[in-house]
Amino acid sequence: MSNKIGIVLALDGEKEFVQGLSNANKEAQKFKSELKLLDSEYTGRANSAEYLGKKQEILANQLSACTKKVDEADSLSQ
C-alpha cells in the first residue's frame, strides 16, 4: 500500500489571468490576420498613403494588444 502526499498550489486570480492572456493572444492573432489581408489587398501599391495609414492603425492596435498582455502578466507578479 502506497500513500501519496502532494501539494496543490492555487493562485488567487489565476483563472482571470489565464483568460486575460488568452483574450490578448486572440486579439493579437486577429490583428496579425488583418495585416496579412491588408498586404494581400495592396500588393504592388505598398507605398500608397491609404495602405500606410491602414497599416499604421493595425500596428497601433497590435501594440495595444501586446501592452495589455504585458500588463496582465505584470499584474500577476505583484
Side-chain angles (χ1 to χ4, degrees):
M1 180 172 157
S2 68
N3 292 329
K4 293 185 180 182
I5 298 175
I7 297 174
V8 175
L9 177 64
L11 301 173
D12 289 335
E14 180 181 8
K15 182 178 179 182
E16 292 81 11
F17 170 73
V18 171
Q19 184 65 38
L21 286 182
S22 177
N23 290 342
N25 286 334
K26 288 177 185 176
E27 197 173 356
Q29 184 61 38
K30 181 185 89 169
F31 293 127
K32 186 177 179 180
S33 297
E34 286 180 10
L35 193 56
K36 282 185 179 182
L37 178 64
L38 183 68
D39 286 343
S40 68
E41 288 177 2
Y42 283 88
T43 301
R45 300 178 292 154
N47 290 328
S48 71
E50 183 179 359
Y51 167 78
L52 294 174
K54 288 181 179 181
K55 185 173 182 176
Q56 180 183 8
E57 182 180 331
I58 292 170
L59 291 173
N61 290 337
Q62 193 172 28
L63 177 63
S64 176
C66 289
T67 302
K68 183 191 292 185
K69 186 176 178 178
V70 169
D71 290 343
E72 286 289 332
D74 191 41
S75 70
L76 181 64
S77 68
Q78 295 178 357

